[in-house]
Every structure is written in C-alpha cells, then in structure tokens.
Amino acid sequence: MGRGTRGKLRIYLGSAPGVGKTYAMLSEAHRRVERGTDCVVAFVEHHDRPRTEVMLHGLEQIPRKELAYRGTVFHEMDVDAVLLRAPSVALVDELAHTNVPGSRNAKRWQDVEELLGAGIDVISTVNIQHLESLGDVVDSITGVRQRETVPDEVVRRADQIELVDMSPQSLRRRMAHGNIYKPDKVDAALSNYFRPGNLTALRELALLWVADRADEYLQEYRGEHNIRSTWQARERIVVGLTGGPEGRTLIRRAARLAEKGAGGEVLAVYIARSDGLTAASPKELAVQRTLVEDLGGTFHHVIGDDIPAALLEFARGVNATQIVLGSSRRKTWQYMFGPGVGATVARESGPDLDVHIVTHDEVAKGRGLPVARGARLGRSRIVWGWLTGVGGPALLALVLTHAHSDLGLANDMLLFLSLTVAAALVGGLLPALASAAFGSLLLNYFFTPPLHLWTIADPTNIVAIVIFVGVAVSVASVVDTAARRTHQAARLRAESEILAFLAGSVLRGDTSLEALLDRVRETFAMESVALLEREGDTAPWTCAASVGAQSLGRPEDADVDMPVGDHLALALTGRVLPAEDRRVLAAFAAQAAVVLDRQRLQSEADQARTLAEGNRIRTALLAAVSHDLRTPLAGIKASVSSLRSEDVDWSPEDQAELLAGIEEGADRLDHLVGNLLDMSRLQTGTVTPLIREIDLDEVVPMALVGVPDPDLNVDLDVPETLPMVSVDKGLLERAVANVVENAVKYSPPDKPVLVSASTLGDRVELRVVDRGPGVPDEAKDRIFAPFQRYGDAPRGAGVGLGLAVARGFTEAMGGTLGAEDTPGGGLTMVLTLRAATRTTPDTAPEAVRTAGQAAGQAAGQAAGPQRGRHA
C-alpha cells in the first residue's frame, strides 16, 4: 500500500485472558504470509504458552528494544526499527500495555498510532477489561483494578474488530490443563479472577460492547445503501419531547419499555422550528436531557417546521422500532386547527413503527403561552414595574384624598398618567396597561363626581376618563416600544460589531479555526466550543477543532448545537442560549465552515504544488532522456556499424578500441537507467530497506569498484575500530558509489578524493572530500534535487540523478547526506549513519533481498562514471 495513506487497524478483542487472542492473531499472520503479504512481528508476548510460541515460527520478528529501569532490563517494541523496516502488516500484541519510562511513547497504543500514520497496517489484541470506560465496572465485578487501559475511542476507530470468545466452562478447563498459566498458579487463578461468575460477566460486557460496534456498522451500511425501512435488530425507542413538564413521565416510561427487551436503547428528541421561536422552557429541556442521560439514553435536538414529519424522519434514520408520545395538552376547542402531532405520527408511522400515546397529568391543560418578551428585562424590573403600575396609583390616590387639595381633574389625570409612563419605562407594556386601567378606576371613584361611586354624573368627565385611558395606553405603548427599540439597537450594534469582525476575517483570511472558536466561546460565555463533522448521515462524528476544557464527540452532547449543512455542526457547552442568539451563532458557524474549507483548500493547494513538481520532474526526465540516453546509443551504433562494415579492414587495435567504446556506452546506459529506476522507486515510496548491523570497512571498498582507477583516484581511511552501523548494505553501497564517483569527476587528477570515517556520539560520519572548484552556499541544497547539473557540465554527462538517489537512499536508512566546503577549496560530502548499539542475530530469511542490494551489485559492475556534478 502507498505510504501516503493511513494504515488499517484490526483488533482481536478478548472477553478474558487466555481465550486465544494472540493465537488467532498469529494464525491470521500465517494466512497473510502464505498469500504473499509482507507481514512482520513487531511485538508478540507468548507468555511461555507452547502452542502460542510455536505459531511464531516462520514469521519475521523485529528485534526488541532493551531499556534499563530501576536496575532491571525490559524489552519493548522498537518503533524506529519497525518504521525503518516498513512492512505492509505489523503484529503488535497487548494494545493497552504501558511502556517502560524512557520509551518513545508512554502507551503502546500510541506506538500503534505512529505505525498507522506511517501507512503500516496493524493487527493487535486487547481484553475487554482494559477498555478505559469499563474500568469501574470490571473492578466491581472482579475486585481487580486494571491499571493498564486503552481509550475506547482508539478501539472504536479500528477498521475491524474480531471478538475472541469462549464459554466460562471451556476457559476454566483450558486453565486446569495448564494451557494458560503454570501449574503452581492454576488453583489461585481458578478460585479468584477466573471464577465462573466473573468470566460470565466479562463475557457479557464483551458481547454488549461488540454489539454496539456492530450497530454502528449497520447504521453505516443502511446509510450507504439508502435503506429507510426499519430493521428490528434491537429495540430502539424514540421519545418525542415538547419541552413541557410531561417529558419526564415519557422518558421514564420509555426506559421501562427498553428494559423489557435486552439491549434496548432510548433516544429522546426535541424538535424546534427553524425560526427559533418556541414555547419550550430551556430549563425544563436541560432537566430532561440530564434525566435521559442518567437512564442510559441519549438526547437529540432536531430542527424542523413540520414536527410530525421531522419526528418520523429522525426515528427512521436511527432505525427505531417504537415512538413514545404524550397525550396532547391542547384543549378541546384547539383540535379544530388539526388532529395534533400524536394522531398524525400514529397515522403516518406505517407497520414498522409502534406508537405509544402515554397519558400524564398535563393532559388538556393547554400548552400555555410563550415566554413573555418582557422576561428579557429581568425579574426585578418586572416586579418593580408592577409595583409602580398598581401600587403607585393606589398610593397617589391615598395621598391626594388625605391632602384635601383640589388640584382639578385635569391635574389628577396628569399625575396618574405619569405613573403609567413610569410603569412602562420600568416594567414594560403589561404593567403600564394595568396602571392605566387601575388609574382610571381610581379617578372615577375618588375624583369624579359623584365621589365614592362608580358612576359619572358629568358627561364631560366621561370623555376625560376615556381620553385618559387612551392617552395612557398610547403613551405606555410608545414608551415600551422605544425601550425595546433601544434594547434591540444595543443588541444589533453588538451583533454588527461581531459580524464586522467575521467579515473582516473572511477578507483578510488571517483567522485560524481555533482562534475563531475561542472568539465564539468568549462571545457567548461558554465553557467549550467544538466544530464537529461527519462524512455521511450515519457516519460517526469527528472533531475538526475544539477549544475549552470539555471535548465533545456528538452534537447531541452539547447544550447548544448549530448545524452547518448536512455534515457539519457547531457544538457549545456551558448554558442554553435564547433563540435570539442563534442568528449570530449561525454566522459564526458559517464562518467556521469557511475557515475549515480554506484550510483544506490550502492543503489541496500544497498537494497540487507537489503534483506540479512531479510534472516538472517528468518534463525534465523527457528532456534528459531525449539526449542523454541517445548519446551513448549513437556511439554504440556507430561502433557496431563500423565493425560490420566490409569496406574497411580493421586492425586488431582498432577493433579493440571500437569494442571498448561499445562497452563504455553500454556501461553508461546501464548507469543512467539504474539511476532513473532508483529515482522512480524513491518518488513512489517503494524503497524498503532491510536494516542490518554491518562494518563500514566492508561496504565502502565494495562501493569503489565502479570508480575509475580507485587506487589512484581515491584515498581510503576507514578504521576497523569503528562501531557497526545499522544500514541496508545494498543501498549504502549505491549511495557511497554515487557520491565518490561525483567527487572524482571534479577533483584534479593529481589530487585524489579522500574517503574517511569517524564517530560522532551515537552516529558514524563518512566524509568524501574533493579538491575541485566547490559549490556556492546557495547551490548546496540544489545539487541534491533531481535532474540538476551544476556549473558547466556538458550535455550527455548524465541526467542529474546521482546525488538525489544517494540522498534518498541515505534518508531511507535513517541517515543524512549534506555538503560542506572543503578547507582550502573543494567540496566535502558528509554522510551520517546510525551507529549500532548492540549485536543482534540476523533473523531475516536468506531469500529476502532488497532492491537496494541488487542495486549495489549493479553499481559494482558498472564501469562508466557519470559526467558532471549533478544531483
């Protein structure tokens, strides 16, 4: 598989120790090896079980890494060695294992993540008791606290999960026969951890956990095949909530229904209209969300103007089998507007969905009024508004009647009108209307003749009272409207500032996704914000970015969720937002989607540049091949034609010279084609080094075979006392040959190239020093690029791949290749390799040979050097 893609993870999940996870994994490895798959054992622990140990025979094993900790030597998986080996499939046992301090990663599952990221498929094992979410449950069952755990999400992300199961009786027999633990530990194990009750409970946990995973696969399959009908594989009960108090009764009833069927699931759903206007109480919905989660269910928030249709669509989307609704709270006369949600859902549900209508205490009590708009003023202001509107006129009437001052009806009306205006300013419209009505009654009773009677003798006073009521209502309405407009203006100004910020960030393109989410969190005073996405309607949600302490996995887990299209949602936790805030939140969500798209477009642009670079290389290759390969072919053709000519009688010396020219041209062609093939392998990622520990003084002399007159042109200084290096012998030979040949071309005839080696810490440096014209600093990196020839190298001197191939092979082995100035003039190539830390047996089969070894042999047979300093 290509190393640009993520590897696939397959996990054998065991219900208990000893059920045969490792054996099953090794059996799968043998099947794959027989099919020709490159499969290695990165780390497998057989625990001295004979049958498991036998299964390791015939499989290539990566040597383990030794780590000393507190006076003891531990053996851990060598991640670097596995990455360098780069197999198609790696076997990694005990996924939940905690590595020894000083290791590359703290946990083995983190090592596995690195292998998967490098494009290596991994087969691993784990027991159900090591899943992080089940730690408390396993502790309560077995009395043993598992210290080594793996996050559930790591296992859930596996591409394939195989359950390795065994009945408790069979597992105890296997234990008694000594197939799991040594005989001296069998009795203690059977009487403690491996009791029949413990094993049965662990088995049930494993079966239920895998059933949930299978359910996710089922949802994905149904979504991919657009299956809308219900498959009653398990009981799924959807509870329709309105935000009213009857929701708690419905949730508890649904939970009891779910308990009657094994594996039943409760999904509570609240459907809000798209305009954000709702009669639901956010506080009540929060209570019901907590209740359904405490009972093991999930809470969902859905947008839909047609509530019955949206409810049925949600139920069919989650493959529900039952719907629980409450009896309508509408009064009898309200049925004239339609049959209601319950009757409509029951009629449209079809034969696959059972609909339960549950009675409750709120039946026929009315749905109630929406939350008053004045509620946004705050409870204290509303209370003071009512005190001003009702208590103020009463107090004013008391003062005026006891003061015995005759101000006149007109002035009395103005005083009462002022209280109405004050009530409107403080408490809004309703207290003002109450003040106008109450004030008119007090004016009639105390200040309009006949006094202390509810009648009015003078018709003009009747007109005055009516005008007072009209003016009071009008003034109260105007004042209330003005107050609301002021509130709206302030809010809109804040919204405009936020939207201006968003628009500016769009134009500038300088806001990262995390910074934008942090601005959302600050704007709405939230605890955490996450942008979630999924590939399809039934695919699991993944977190594209998040800020805050809490990490969200699904929109339904949030206090507020704002969908962006079909497969993107902004999720917030901290508090429930009012409907009026959702408009700005929608703008933030849309901007977050734009930023996410921009980041991905940038990534695609980077990939496009990489493709363009590949296209440039192909163009350069065609230009090089058109001339550089034809030049030696032309020489070979001319020499062969001359030898076959019957018009000339060639002397033996002439024939030898022509044959030498043919051989030189063939060698040049072989060298050019070899470099082209090597470059192709490097760019496609198919170079697979076989790392072994060898002595440098064995490799370097073999790499000089193809150099013209190596005894005269090269001085070799490679001490035998150098530590061994971890390299692929064939790749190293080819890299050294290319570097030395390139140096010989530029070094003057009387100044041989120096090849020396020395140690530097845990590395070994091989330096190739020439006394040629050298290379400027700005061109030192450019000479390693493919199809680059420095200076005045003539056409036909090579396609410019020698140093590029050398660097590619060196980096494939975990080394580096760079250029430095030679003191006194010239260029020094520095090849740095990893020194071996210990001697390990050669475990690779004799038949396994890398393409690099073949390349090294080919380099040794090539006699014609490349022309010109090239990369």
Side-chain angles (χ1 to χ4, degrees):
M1 63 179 296
R3 289 295 181 250
T5 58
R6 180 178 171 85
K8 294 184 178 180
L9 176 61
R10 179 172 183 171
I11 293 179
Y12 285 91
L13 178 67
S15 57
V19 294
K21 306 179 305 299
T22 306
Y23 189 92
M25 178 179 66
L26 294 174
S27 299
E28 175 64 20
H30 280 285
R31 286 192 292 270
R32 297 199 181 196
V33 170
E34 291 173 0
R35 295 196 299 265
T37 304
D38 182 16
C39 184
V40 302
V41 175
F43 188 98
V44 168
E45 189 62 63
H46 55 73
H47 296 291
D48 295 327
R49 297 169 186 168
R51 296 186 179 181
T52 305
E53 187 177 2
V54 168
M55 294 297 293
L56 286 169
H57 296 169
L59 297 176
E60 179 185 349
Q61 300 185 47
I62 302 295
R64 300 182 182 183
K65 190 174 185 178
E66 293 182 355
L67 292 170
Y69 180 66
R70 293 183 176 179
T72 305
V73 177
F74 296 85
H75 295 82
E76 298 286 3
M77 180 173 68
D78 193 339
V79 180
D80 291 327
V82 179
L83 292 174
L84 286 174
R85 172 63 176 80
S88 296
V89 180
L91 307 184
V92 182
D93 205 4
E94 299 179 352
L95 186 63
H97 172 73
T98 300
N99 294 329
V100 174
S103 301
R104 183 188 186 100
N105 296 301
K107 303 286 290 187
R108 183 164 292 164
W109 65 263
Q110 296 172 325
D111 297 337
V112 169
E113 286 293 321
E114 284 199 41
L115 300 183
L116 295 173
I120 301 173
D121 291 348
V122 176
I123 303 178
S124 187
T125 65
V126 70
N127 280 328
I128 191 67
Q129 69 264 24
H130 293 294
L131 294 182
E132 196 168 72
S133 67
L134 300 178
D136 294 339
V137 179
V138 173
D139 186 10
S140 64
I141 294 173
T142 64
V144 178
R145 184 69 180 182
Q146 299 296 330
R147 300 186 181 276
E148 293 189 330
T149 60
V150 59
D152 292 47
E153 187 59 28
V154 173
V155 183
R156 286 187 181 276
R157 286 201 304 266
D159 299 275
Q160 189 173 351
I161 298 177
E162 295 284 343
L163 176 64
V164 183
D165 186 30
M166 179 178 290
S167 68
Q169 295 77 14
S170 299
L171 183 57
R172 285 172 59 83
R173 281 197 299 270
R174 177 181 289 183
M175 173 75 70
H177 293 162
N179 294 329
I180 299 177
Y181 293 151
K182 293 181 179 179
D184 58 339
K185 297 181 179 180
V186 170
D187 291 338
L190 288 175
S191 59
N192 289 284
Y193 192 90
F194 286 81
R195 293 196 301 268
N198 289 356
L199 297 179
T200 302
L202 291 174
R203 188 186 190 194
E204 182 179 12
L205 283 177
L207 291 172
L208 289 175
W209 197 93
V210 174
D212 286 339
R213 178 63 173 164
D215 188 63
E216 294 177 9
Y217 285 137
L218 178 61
Q219 293 292 347
E220 182 178 353
Y221 178 85
R222 284 166 53 84
E224 291 175 353
H225 293 79
N226 196 27
I227 298 174
R228 308 302 300 168
S229 61
T230 301
W231 287 2
Q232 298 186 3
R234 62 186 297 188
E235 290 295 333
R236 268 196 185 83
I237 304 173
V238 170
V239 184
L241 302 178
T242 64
E246 77 281 0
R248 306 181 199 183
T249 302
L250 303 184
I251 292 171
R252 293 189 179 96
R253 179 60 182 273
R256 290 196 296 271
L257 289 173
E259 290 175 356
K260 295 179 180 179
E265 183 180 0
V266 175
L267 302 93
V269 57
Y270 170 70
I271 299 175
R273 298 189 183 276
S274 59
D275 59 5
L277 300 177
T278 175
S281 168
K283 182 178 180 180
E284 181 64 30
L285 282 178
V287 171
Q288 293 175 14
R289 176 198 290 265
T290 303
L291 176 61
V292 72
E293 291 175 350
D294 290 342
L295 294 174
T298 56
F299 185 91
H300 305 265
H301 191 109
V302 176
I303 305 296
D305 292 323
D306 188 344
I307 293 179
L311 181 60
L312 289 171
E313 181 71 16
F314 174 82
R316 294 191 176 103
V318 299
N319 198 27
T321 58
Q322 302 179 54
I323 298 178
V324 174
L325 299 173
S327 297
S328 178
R329 285 184 288 150
R330 296 193 301 174
K331 294 183 180 298
T332 304
W333 63 270
Q334 291 178 311
Y335 281 97
M336 63 182 295
F337 299 108
V341 174
T344 304
V345 170
R347 185 180 66 246
E348 302 293 337
S349 61
D352 298 328
L353 278 170
D354 297 333
V355 180
H356 302 266
I357 305 297
V358 179
T359 59
H360 50 83
D361 295 336
E362 304 296 323
V363 174
K365 290 186 178 181
R367 296 184 58 86
L369 294 175
V371 178
R373 293 185 302 166
R376 75 186 69 179
L377 298 176
R379 177 173 297 180
S380 61
R381 286 192 61 179
I382 294 175
V383 170
W384 279 106
W386 281 101
L387 289 176
T388 303
V390 177
L395 183 61
L396 178 60
L398 182 63
V399 171
L400 291 178
T401 55
H402 284 76
H404 302 289
S405 58
D406 187 9
L407 299 178
L409 183 60
N411 291 327
D412 294 336
M413 287 183 176
L414 289 176
L415 291 174
F416 279 95
L417 183 60
S418 64
L419 291 175
T420 301
V421 173
L425 288 173
V426 176
L429 182 59
L430 291 180
L433 294 178
S435 178
F438 188 44
S440 65
L441 293 176
L442 293 177
L443 283 170
N444 180 19
Y445 189 81
F446 290 104
F447 305 103
T448 305
L451 300 179
H452 307 298
L453 293 175
W454 297 109
T455 59
I456 301 176
D458 189 353
T460 58
N461 290 337
I462 297 176
V463 176
I465 293 296
V466 171
I467 293 174
F468 167 78
V469 174
V471 171
V473 171
S474 300
V475 171
S477 300
V478 171
V479 172
D480 178 74
T481 302
R484 294 185 185 281
R485 292 292 181 266
T486 302
H487 172 78
Q488 292 174 358
R491 178 177 180 80
L492 290 174
R493 182 180 65 181
E495 290 183 3
S496 64
E497 292 176 355
I498 294 173
L499 295 176
F501 160 77
L502 290 177
S505 65
V506 171
L507 294 176
R508 294 190 302 270
D510 56 357
T511 301
S512 66
L513 188 56
E514 287 74 15
L516 181 64
L517 297 183
D518 196 55
R519 180 64 183 266
V520 175
R521 185 168 62 90
E522 293 177 357
T523 300
F524 297 101
M526 288 294 183
E527 295 178 359
S528 62
V529 181
L531 184 64
L532 306 177
E533 64 175 343
R534 59 181 178 181
E535 297 180 357
D537 293 338
T538 58
W541 290 94
T542 58
C543 183
S546 65
V547 294
Q550 184 175 358
S551 179
L552 296 174
R554 300 178 303 171
E556 51 266 25
D557 295 334
D559 294 320
V560 181
D561 64 281
M562 173 59 66
V564 188
D566 295 330
H567 304 138
L568 205 64
L570 193 64
L572 301 86
T573 59
R575 64 188 180 94
V576 178
L577 290 179
E580 59 188 7
D581 287 340
R582 295 182 68 87
R583 179 172 62 253
V584 178
L585 183 61
F588 271 112
Q591 174 64 3
V594 170
V595 173
L596 181 62
D597 289 340
R598 184 192 301 135
Q599 289 182 352
R600 291 178 174 170
L601 287 174
Q602 182 63 42
S603 177
E604 293 177 1
D606 294 339
Q607 294 178 4
R609 281 194 291 270
T610 303
L611 294 176
E613 176 65 18
N615 186 60
R616 186 194 67 79
I617 290 177
R618 285 190 293 271
T619 303
L621 173 62
L622 292 175
V625 170
S626 64
H627 188 282
D628 295 318
L629 292 184
R630 293 185 62 176
T631 299
L633 282 176
I636 293 173
K637 174 66 175 176
S639 299
V640 171
S641 298
S642 299
L643 289 173
R644 296 188 61 187
S645 176
E646 298 178 356
D647 299 335
V648 181
D649 186 12
W650 300 102
S651 65
E653 293 79 7
D654 292 335
Q655 291 181 3
E657 184 176 353
L658 291 173
L659 290 174
I662 293 173
E663 184 178 13
E664 180 181 358
D667 289 338
R668 287 175 59 189
L669 280 177
D670 180 70
H671 208 109
L672 290 171
V673 172
N675 272 337
L676 289 173
L677 293 175
D678 290 339
M679 198 67 226
S680 174
R681 291 168 54 228
L682 285 170
Q683 291 198 341
T684 56
T686 57
V687 175
T688 305
L690 180 59
I691 303 299
R692 296 183 180 181
E693 297 173 359
I694 60 174
D695 290 316
L696 201 59
D697 60 341
E698 297 179 3
V699 179
V700 175
M702 297 182 63
L704 303 181
V705 173
V707 178
D709 298 325
D711 294 335
L712 298 177
N713 292 329
V714 179
D715 286 342
L716 191 60
D717 182 16
V718 181
E720 296 182 357
T721 57
L722 288 174
M724 301 179 74
V725 291
S726 299
V727 295
D728 183 303
K729 183 178 180 181
L731 296 184
L732 181 59
E733 286 182 15
R734 188 59 179 269
V736 172
N738 282 2
V739 172
V740 174
E741 289 175 10
N742 196 75
V744 168
K745 297 183 188 72
Y746 277 84
S747 192
D750 58 338
K751 294 183 179 180
V753 172
L754 173 62
V755 179
S756 63
S758 60
T759 59
L760 182 62
D762 60 345
R763 317 287 284 185
V764 174
E765 284 189 352
L766 182 68
R767 308 177 75 87
V768 180
V769 183
D770 69 56
R771 294 292 179 177
V775 175
D777 291 340
E778 63 272 11
K780 282 186 172 63
D781 285 335
R782 211 165 52 240
I783 62 175
F784 292 101
F787 305 105
Q788 298 292 321
R789 286 176 291 202
Y790 176 72
D792 57 352
R795 297 291 297 179
V799 293
L801 288 176
L803 293 184
V805 170
R807 172 175 273 190
F809 282 174
T810 303
E811 292 178 349
M813 295 182 292
T816 60
L817 177 62
E820 300 176 355
D821 290 329
T822 301
L827 190 70
T828 299
M829 293 290 181
V830 182
L831 195 152
T832 306
L833 303 169
R834 294 188 309 160
T837 57
R838 65 184 186 278
T839 302
T840 57
D842 187 358
T843 58
E846 190 64 29
V848 177
R849 300 180 58 85
T850 65
Q853 291 172 303
Q857 293 177 354
Q861 296 171 359
Q866 289 178 269
R867 305 290 182 182
R869 187 178 298 274
H870 54 273

